[in-house]
Amino acid sequence: MKKALLFIFTFPLFVFSQQKEIKKAEKTFSNEHYFESIKIFENLVDKGIKTAEIFEKLGDANYLNANYAEANKWYSMFNDLTSEMDTEHHYRFAQTLKTVGLLEESKKQMDLFESKSPNEIRTRQYKKGLNDKSMLIISNVANLPINSKYSDYGTAIKGDTLIFSSARDFVLDNTTYARTNQSFTSLYRTIKKPSGEFSSPKLFSKNSFSIYNEATPVFTKDGKTMYYSQNKLSKKSKIKLVNGLFKLYKSVYSKGKWHNKGAISFGENDSIRIANPTLSPDGKYLYFAADFKECFGNSDLFKVAINSDGSFGSIERLSNKINTEGRETFPFITEDNTLIFASDGYPGFGGLDLFSIDLSDPNASVINLGDAINTPFDDFALTTNIEMSQGYFSSNRLGGEGDDDLYSFDLTLVPITITGQVVDEDTNEIIPNASITFLDSKNNTVASIASDLNGEFIVSTMKRDSKYTIKVQQKNYIPTEKQIIVYKKDLNETIEVKKEEVKIDFTNILNLNIIYFDIDKYVIRKDAKLELDKVVTVMNQYPNIKVEIGSHTDSRESKKYNLRLSQKRAEATLKYLIKGIDKSRLTAVGYGESVLVNSCGNGFKCSEIEHEKNRRSTFIVK
């Protein structure tokens, strides 16, 4: 009887203890103390409490702490216990299945996600797949020797100095970050020597150091202003951290020291998590990741104008061509205006992948940088040097020194190739052996080729982000020009050319002497009257033909003046011809200086005789 009473009293205490432990685990989870919450939830599982809710939380805590293989274990158990997994967990489960190499199972989960969320940006991207080829060739990926067994990530290149974030143990403070159970990150610097070796990492600056996280620095071109991420403190507190809530900070270099200017205020958005700043190549815009209420997903990319006085304009969210319902973070903009960022919202290899998009091209789309740099784990925080020949990124892939590691890589820009075909504008017939000339923005010839028997052409090694003029010439066709803009991907162009009309000019048939006019005059000269009389004679012999009188000037004077003068000359010629020809058979057209017979255009020195050749009339049979 005593044993039974003991059980009756003990059982409620046991249940109460479990509930208390569950509440504690949930609280640590909501505070993003993932390391601690995992320990508590796992302890509950060890005690036999195996619910779908606990498996879900264990999966999420590990997923959000980038422990994807471990997250996969708990998501698998969660999936076994629930008949209806929500859409976001289908997506997360699919991501972790890639990490452990179960690609077919991952596809099944993505198909379920697609069926439940047909209108998401992620769904549209999933259907599209990895179709585009990156124009960045990445090679020689190598783990840096300065990595520690702790988290090292987020680089900035400042001359021969590399600045990065690290959670390695630091003597000034031994506080532990509850999310990761590692030290808070600080900014470190290392110098890359001419030999390629790196110096031993040192604290970047005591003036930018705090007892909490500093990360992801970016510097202005003059190297005197630094923007970076740092955890935010609670209001009216100098020590209590708002866990996980990063803000952007600014530091200025003067008199040999860095001076911390504190957190950047964005007004009503100051309660929002903002991190990972980068600058546009011209320094006029600050880009960053944030989880504002208008975000599509967990974090989106934004930009804000930096005014001349150092203040900021209105925050702009980048378009849904870039942002998805997933995570878009760690932006970086290259010297040629390519945005590179990390995301788990596009088709990839698992975890965060690195993507690019050409900000100069309004029609550009996001491109995965490929498996030369991306893995089933997190790959993020890419930066390059100004020359875009070498760079660094961060990854928690297998085979590293610790948690997140720094990696170097070499970069080659793929030359742009322009292909195309020359066709007849009216019939679409291919035009072989056409002469094709490419001119740059300074009118210099950069390539001269001919279309092949299929009317096709190809030219490589064209520059990115450049304007070109394509000139096409072929016998019996009107010379054609087409302006194109080359961005950061190959281009295919169809050049349409139009056949020249077969024109019969009495000037040639009758072997007429060219009818000239005196400078600035439109009076018919005596020598011209003899030639015009020949035109009258022939037109009377052939009463059904009609003739266009075309009058032309030289290039001197303005185009407007010359057009008016040529029209008067054409009308004067017509007035003379209607003495013997019905007016209905004649038209008068003034062409001004638009059809010169030589190179005596504006800016060219020519003799009077050369200019006179352009002051003429033609007689085209219509």
mmCIF file of all heavy atoms in Angstrom, residues 416-419 437-441 457 459 462-463 465-470 481-487 491-495:
data_model
loop_
_atom_site.group_PDB
_atom_site.id
_atom_site.type_symbol
_atom_site.label_atom_id
_atom_site.label_comp_id
_atom_site.label_asym_id
_atom_site.label_seq_id
_atom_site.Cartn_x
_atom_site.Cartn_y
_atom_site.Cartn_z
ATOM 1 N N ILE A 416 32.897 36.635 -73.675
ATOM 2 C CA ILE A 416 31.557 36.611 -74.258
ATOM 3 C C ILE A 416 31.641 36.191 -75.716
ATOM 4 O O ILE A 416 32.506 36.645 -76.467
ATOM 5 C CB ILE A 416 30.895 37.996 -74.154
ATOM 6 C CG1 ILE A 416 30.846 38.460 -72.704
ATOM 7 C CG2 ILE A 416 29.497 37.969 -74.760
ATOM 8 C CD1 ILE A 416 30.050 37.591 -71.788
ATOM 9 N N THR A 417 30.742 35.322 -76.119
ATOM 10 C CA THR A 417 30.653 34.888 -77.512
ATOM 11 C C THR A 417 29.352 35.403 -78.118
ATOM 12 O O THR A 417 28.285 35.262 -77.520
ATOM 13 C CB THR A 417 30.693 33.357 -77.617
ATOM 14 O OG1 THR A 417 31.961 32.896 -77.147
ATOM 15 C CG2 THR A 417 30.512 32.894 -79.052
ATOM 16 N N ILE A 418 29.471 36.018 -79.282
ATOM 17 C CA ILE A 418 28.292 36.499 -80.001
ATOM 18 C C ILE A 418 28.116 35.640 -81.245
ATOM 19 O O ILE A 418 29.018 35.533 -82.072
ATOM 20 C CB ILE A 418 28.430 37.985 -80.406
ATOM 21 C CG1 ILE A 418 28.627 38.843 -79.161
ATOM 22 C CG2 ILE A 418 27.195 38.439 -81.188
ATOM 23 C CD1 ILE A 418 28.894 40.303 -79.474
ATOM 24 N N THR A 419 26.993 34.980 -81.327
ATOM 25 C CA THR A 419 26.658 34.196 -82.512
ATOM 26 C C THR A 419 25.446 34.829 -83.182
ATOM 27 O O THR A 419 24.740 35.649 -82.582
ATOM 28 C CB THR A 419 26.329 32.744 -82.137
ATOM 29 O OG1 THR A 419 25.251 32.743 -81.181
ATOM 30 C CG2 THR A 419 27.531 32.063 -81.532
ATOM 31 N N THR A 437 31.177 43.522 -89.625
ATOM 32 C CA THR A 437 32.197 44.270 -88.888
ATOM 33 C C THR A 437 31.645 44.659 -87.523
ATOM 34 O O THR A 437 30.513 45.143 -87.423
ATOM 35 C CB THR A 437 32.620 45.538 -89.655
ATOM 36 O OG1 THR A 437 33.067 45.166 -90.958
ATOM 37 C CG2 THR A 437 33.740 46.264 -88.929
ATOM 38 N N PHE A 438 32.439 44.440 -86.473
ATOM 39 C CA PHE A 438 32.065 44.837 -85.115
ATOM 40 C C PHE A 438 32.869 46.071 -84.731
ATOM 41 O O PHE A 438 34.104 46.056 -84.796
ATOM 42 C CB PHE A 438 32.348 43.710 -84.119
ATOM 43 C CG PHE A 438 31.374 42.576 -84.203
ATOM 44 C CD1 PHE A 438 31.514 41.600 -85.180
ATOM 45 C CD2 PHE A 438 30.319 42.477 -83.316
ATOM 46 C CE1 PHE A 438 30.623 40.546 -85.265
ATOM 47 C CE2 PHE A 438 29.425 41.434 -83.382
ATOM 48 C CZ PHE A 438 29.567 40.463 -84.357
ATOM 49 N N LEU A 439 32.174 47.117 -84.324
ATOM 50 C CA LEU A 439 32.812 48.352 -83.882
ATOM 51 C C LEU A 439 32.518 48.569 -82.395
ATOM 52 O O LEU A 439 31.391 48.333 -81.941
ATOM 53 C CB LEU A 439 32.293 49.553 -84.686
ATOM 54 C CG LEU A 439 32.408 49.467 -86.212
ATOM 55 C CD1 LEU A 439 31.725 50.665 -86.853
ATOM 56 C CD2 LEU A 439 33.862 49.399 -86.633
ATOM 57 N N ASP A 440 33.510 49.028 -81.629
ATOM 58 C CA ASP A 440 33.275 49.319 -80.215
ATOM 59 C C ASP A 440 32.671 50.697 -80.048
ATOM 60 O O ASP A 440 32.367 51.383 -81.045
ATOM 61 C CB ASP A 440 34.560 49.156 -79.402
ATOM 62 C CG ASP A 440 35.654 50.141 -79.809
ATOM 63 O OD1 ASP A 440 35.353 51.149 -80.484
ATOM 64 O OD2 ASP A 440 36.824 49.898 -79.456
ATOM 65 N N SER A 441 32.497 51.126 -78.813
ATOM 66 C CA SER A 441 31.836 52.410 -78.540
ATOM 67 C C SER A 441 32.630 53.601 -79.052
ATOM 68 O O SER A 441 32.086 54.694 -79.213
ATOM 69 C CB SER A 441 31.589 52.561 -77.035
ATOM 70 O OG SER A 441 32.817 52.473 -76.324
ATOM 71 N N PHE A 457 27.317 33.366 -88.169
ATOM 72 C CA PHE A 457 28.623 33.910 -87.799
ATOM 73 C C PHE A 457 28.829 33.718 -86.306
ATOM 74 O O PHE A 457 27.881 33.527 -85.540
ATOM 75 C CB PHE A 457 28.722 35.403 -88.151
ATOM 76 C CG PHE A 457 27.726 36.283 -87.442
ATOM 77 C CD1 PHE A 457 28.024 36.847 -86.203
ATOM 78 C CD2 PHE A 457 26.476 36.554 -88.004
ATOM 79 C CE1 PHE A 457 27.116 37.664 -85.546
ATOM 80 C CE2 PHE A 457 25.559 37.357 -87.348
ATOM 81 C CZ PHE A 457 25.885 37.916 -86.115
ATOM 82 N N VAL A 459 31.710 35.178 -83.141
ATOM 83 C CA VAL A 459 32.895 35.937 -82.743
ATOM 84 C C VAL A 459 33.032 35.830 -81.225
ATOM 85 O O VAL A 459 32.059 36.010 -80.497
ATOM 86 C CB VAL A 459 32.829 37.410 -83.206
ATOM 87 C CG1 VAL A 459 31.597 38.104 -82.639
ATOM 88 C CG2 VAL A 459 34.084 38.166 -82.819
ATOM 89 N N MET A 462 34.671 38.802 -76.772
ATOM 90 C CA MET A 462 34.085 40.133 -76.662
ATOM 91 C C MET A 462 34.041 40.539 -75.185
ATOM 92 O O MET A 462 33.918 39.693 -74.294
ATOM 93 C CB MET A 462 32.680 40.169 -77.261
ATOM 94 C CG MET A 462 32.626 39.656 -78.698
ATOM 95 S SD MET A 462 33.685 40.582 -79.837
ATOM 96 C CE MET A 462 32.647 41.987 -80.181
ATOM 97 N N LYS A 463 34.137 41.823 -74.934
ATOM 98 C CA LYS A 463 34.204 42.307 -73.561
ATOM 99 C C LYS A 463 32.823 42.313 -72.914
ATOM 100 O O LYS A 463 31.819 42.594 -73.567
ATOM 101 C CB LYS A 463 34.796 43.717 -73.522
ATOM 102 C CG LYS A 463 36.269 43.781 -73.895
ATOM 103 C CD LYS A 463 36.791 45.201 -73.777
ATOM 104 C CE LYS A 463 38.270 45.277 -74.103
ATOM 105 N NZ LYS A 463 38.790 46.661 -74.005
ATOM 106 N N ASP A 465 29.879 43.785 -70.500
ATOM 107 C CA ASP A 465 29.339 45.121 -70.225
ATOM 108 C C ASP A 465 29.852 46.155 -71.226
ATOM 109 O O ASP A 465 30.396 47.196 -70.853
ATOM 110 C CB ASP A 465 29.678 45.557 -68.799
ATOM 111 C CG ASP A 465 29.052 44.644 -67.764
ATOM 112 O OD1 ASP A 465 27.851 44.361 -67.900
ATOM 113 O OD2 ASP A 465 29.763 44.212 -66.856
ATOM 114 N N SER A 466 29.676 45.868 -72.503
ATOM 115 C CA SER A 466 30.155 46.751 -73.565
ATOM 116 C C SER A 466 29.076 46.950 -74.615
ATOM 117 O O SER A 466 28.183 46.110 -74.781
ATOM 118 C CB SER A 466 31.417 46.171 -74.230
ATOM 119 O OG SER A 466 32.450 46.011 -73.290
ATOM 120 N N LYS A 467 29.199 48.062 -75.342
ATOM 121 C CA LYS A 467 28.291 48.356 -76.452
ATOM 122 C C LYS A 467 29.043 48.164 -77.763
ATOM 123 O O LYS A 467 30.187 48.574 -77.895
ATOM 124 C CB LYS A 467 27.760 49.791 -76.347
ATOM 125 C CG LYS A 467 26.874 50.037 -75.140
ATOM 126 C CD LYS A 467 26.374 51.471 -75.114
ATOM 127 C CE LYS A 467 25.491 51.731 -73.893
ATOM 128 N NZ LYS A 467 25.006 53.127 -73.842
ATOM 129 N N TYR A 468 28.381 47.547 -78.718
ATOM 130 C CA TYR A 468 28.980 47.310 -80.026
ATOM 131 C C TYR A 468 28.000 47.705 -81.129
ATOM 132 O O TYR A 468 26.776 47.661 -80.942
ATOM 133 C CB TYR A 468 29.355 45.843 -80.208
ATOM 134 C CG TYR A 468 30.483 45.378 -79.322
ATOM 135 C CD1 TYR A 468 30.206 44.682 -78.139
ATOM 136 C CD2 TYR A 468 31.806 45.621 -79.647
ATOM 137 C CE1 TYR A 468 31.235 44.247 -77.313
ATOM 138 C CE2 TYR A 468 32.842 45.192 -78.824
ATOM 139 C CZ TYR A 468 32.551 44.519 -77.661
ATOM 140 O OH TYR A 468 33.573 44.105 -76.848
ATOM 141 N N THR A 469 28.567 48.084 -82.285
ATOM 142 C CA THR A 469 27.781 48.287 -83.495
ATOM 143 C C THR A 469 28.167 47.197 -84.482
ATOM 144 O O THR A 469 29.353 46.986 -84.752
ATOM 145 C CB THR A 469 28.051 49.665 -84.118
ATOM 146 O OG1 THR A 469 27.669 50.686 -83.195
ATOM 147 C CG2 THR A 469 27.259 49.839 -85.403
ATOM 148 N N ILE A 470 27.163 46.491 -84.993
ATOM 149 C CA ILE A 470 27.408 45.461 -85.997
ATOM 150 C C ILE A 470 27.029 46.038 -87.355
ATOM 151 O O ILE A 470 25.888 46.457 -87.563
ATOM 152 C CB ILE A 470 26.585 44.192 -85.728
ATOM 153 C CG1 ILE A 470 26.828 43.681 -84.307
ATOM 154 C CG2 ILE A 470 26.918 43.112 -86.743
ATOM 155 C CD1 ILE A 470 25.975 42.476 -83.950
ATOM 156 N N GLU A 481 23.133 48.460 -90.061
ATOM 157 C CA GLU A 481 23.824 48.594 -88.781
ATOM 158 C C GLU A 481 22.874 48.189 -87.660
ATOM 159 O O GLU A 481 21.672 48.450 -87.723
ATOM 160 C CB GLU A 481 24.293 50.034 -88.545
ATOM 161 C CG GLU A 481 25.409 50.476 -89.453
ATOM 162 C CD GLU A 481 25.954 51.853 -89.066
ATOM 163 O OE1 GLU A 481 25.523 52.362 -88.010
ATOM 164 O OE2 GLU A 481 26.794 52.398 -89.796
ATOM 165 N N LYS A 482 23.423 47.548 -86.626
ATOM 166 C CA LYS A 482 22.628 47.187 -85.453
ATOM 167 C C LYS A 482 23.456 47.402 -84.201
ATOM 168 O O LYS A 482 24.596 46.948 -84.121
ATOM 169 C CB LYS A 482 22.188 45.717 -85.535
ATOM 170 C CG LYS A 482 21.248 45.294 -84.408
ATOM 171 C CD LYS A 482 20.720 43.884 -84.622
ATOM 172 C CE LYS A 482 19.687 43.528 -83.561
ATOM 173 N NZ LYS A 482 19.126 42.178 -83.758
ATOM 174 N N GLN A 483 22.885 48.145 -83.236
ATOM 175 C CA GLN A 483 23.573 48.394 -81.971
ATOM 176 C C GLN A 483 23.161 47.321 -80.962
ATOM 177 O O GLN A 483 21.973 46.990 -80.840
ATOM 178 C CB GLN A 483 23.234 49.775 -81.403
ATOM 179 C CG GLN A 483 24.041 50.908 -81.999
ATOM 180 C CD GLN A 483 23.651 51.250 -83.427
ATOM 181 O OE1 GLN A 483 22.463 51.286 -83.740
ATOM 182 N NE2 GLN A 483 24.630 51.499 -84.276
ATOM 183 N N ILE A 484 24.144 46.774 -80.260
ATOM 184 C CA ILE A 484 23.857 45.758 -79.246
ATOM 185 C C ILE A 484 24.591 46.111 -77.952
ATOM 186 O O ILE A 484 25.591 46.837 -77.973
ATOM 187 C CB ILE A 484 24.285 44.344 -79.700
ATOM 188 C CG1 ILE A 484 25.796 44.295 -79.955
ATOM 189 C CG2 ILE A 484 23.509 43.912 -80.916
ATOM 190 C CD1 ILE A 484 26.322 42.893 -80.177
ATOM 191 N N ILE A 485 24.067 45.615 -76.846
ATOM 192 C CA ILE A 485 24.724 45.751 -75.538
ATOM 193 C C ILE A 485 25.049 44.350 -75.048
ATOM 194 O O ILE A 485 24.180 43.480 -74.974
ATOM 195 C CB ILE A 485 23.828 46.465 -74.518
ATOM 196 C CG1 ILE A 485 23.471 47.865 -75.012
ATOM 197 C CG2 ILE A 485 24.537 46.557 -73.174
ATOM 198 C CD1 ILE A 485 22.517 48.619 -74.100
ATOM 199 N N VAL A 486 26.319 44.111 -74.758
ATOM 200 C CA VAL A 486 26.761 42.824 -74.235
ATOM 201 C C VAL A 486 26.852 42.936 -72.723
ATOM 202 O O VAL A 486 27.524 43.827 -72.199
ATOM 203 C CB VAL A 486 28.136 42.437 -74.829
ATOM 204 C CG1 VAL A 486 28.650 41.177 -74.158
ATOM 205 C CG2 VAL A 486 28.022 42.238 -76.328
ATOM 206 N N TYR A 487 26.184 42.049 -72.002
ATOM 207 C CA TYR A 487 26.258 42.047 -70.546
ATOM 208 C C TYR A 487 27.247 40.956 -70.109
ATOM 209 O O TYR A 487 28.411 41.012 -70.440
ATOM 210 C CB TYR A 487 24.869 41.851 -69.945
ATOM 211 C CG TYR A 487 23.956 43.028 -70.193
ATOM 212 C CD1 TYR A 487 22.900 42.948 -71.098
ATOM 213 C CD2 TYR A 487 24.164 44.242 -69.540
ATOM 214 C CE1 TYR A 487 22.067 44.040 -71.333
ATOM 215 C CE2 TYR A 487 23.341 45.339 -69.776
ATOM 216 C CZ TYR A 487 22.292 45.231 -70.669
ATOM 217 O OH TYR A 487 21.483 46.299 -70.903
ATOM 218 N N LEU A 491 25.547 35.929 -76.389
ATOM 219 C CA LEU A 491 24.470 36.629 -77.081
ATOM 220 C C LEU A 491 24.243 35.982 -78.437
ATOM 221 O O LEU A 491 25.196 35.548 -79.094
ATOM 222 C CB LEU A 491 24.857 38.095 -77.252
ATOM 223 C CG LEU A 491 23.751 39.122 -77.437
ATOM 224 C CD1 LEU A 491 22.828 39.143 -76.225
ATOM 225 C CD2 LEU A 491 24.354 40.504 -77.641
ATOM 226 N N ASN A 492 22.989 35.888 -78.856
ATOM 227 C CA ASN A 492 22.657 35.401 -80.195
ATOM 228 C C ASN A 492 21.830 36.468 -80.900
ATOM 229 O O ASN A 492 20.812 36.905 -80.369
ATOM 230 C CB ASN A 492 21.894 34.079 -80.114
ATOM 231 C CG ASN A 492 21.626 33.494 -81.491
ATOM 232 O OD1 ASN A 492 20.624 33.807 -82.126
ATOM 233 N ND2 ASN A 492 22.521 32.640 -81.957
ATOM 234 N N GLU A 493 22.280 36.892 -82.065
ATOM 235 C CA GLU A 493 21.634 37.982 -82.777
ATOM 236 C C GLU A 493 21.246 37.551 -84.189
ATOM 237 O O GLU A 493 22.023 36.868 -84.875
ATOM 238 C CB GLU A 493 22.576 39.182 -82.883
ATOM 239 C CG GLU A 493 22.814 39.893 -81.568
ATOM 240 C CD GLU A 493 21.599 40.651 -81.081
ATOM 241 O OE1 GLU A 493 20.838 41.174 -81.927
ATOM 242 O OE2 GLU A 493 21.391 40.711 -79.867
ATOM 243 N N THR A 494 20.068 37.957 -84.602
ATOM 244 C CA THR A 494 19.661 37.804 -85.994
ATOM 245 C C THR A 494 19.722 39.177 -86.656
ATOM 246 O O THR A 494 19.110 40.135 -86.174
ATOM 247 C CB THR A 494 18.232 37.250 -86.096
ATOM 248 O OG1 THR A 494 18.187 35.952 -85.503
ATOM 249 C CG2 THR A 494 17.799 37.142 -87.552
ATOM 250 N N ILE A 495 20.486 39.259 -87.740
ATOM 251 C CA ILE A 495 20.640 40.525 -88.468
ATOM 252 C C ILE A 495 19.816 40.445 -89.742
ATOM 253 O O ILE A 495 20.074 39.596 -90.608
ATOM 254 C CB ILE A 495 22.112 40.824 -88.815
ATOM 255 C CG1 ILE A 495 23.009 40.623 -87.586
ATOM 256 C CG2 ILE A 495 22.240 42.226 -89.383
ATOM 257 C CD1 ILE A 495 22.773 41.599 -86.479
#
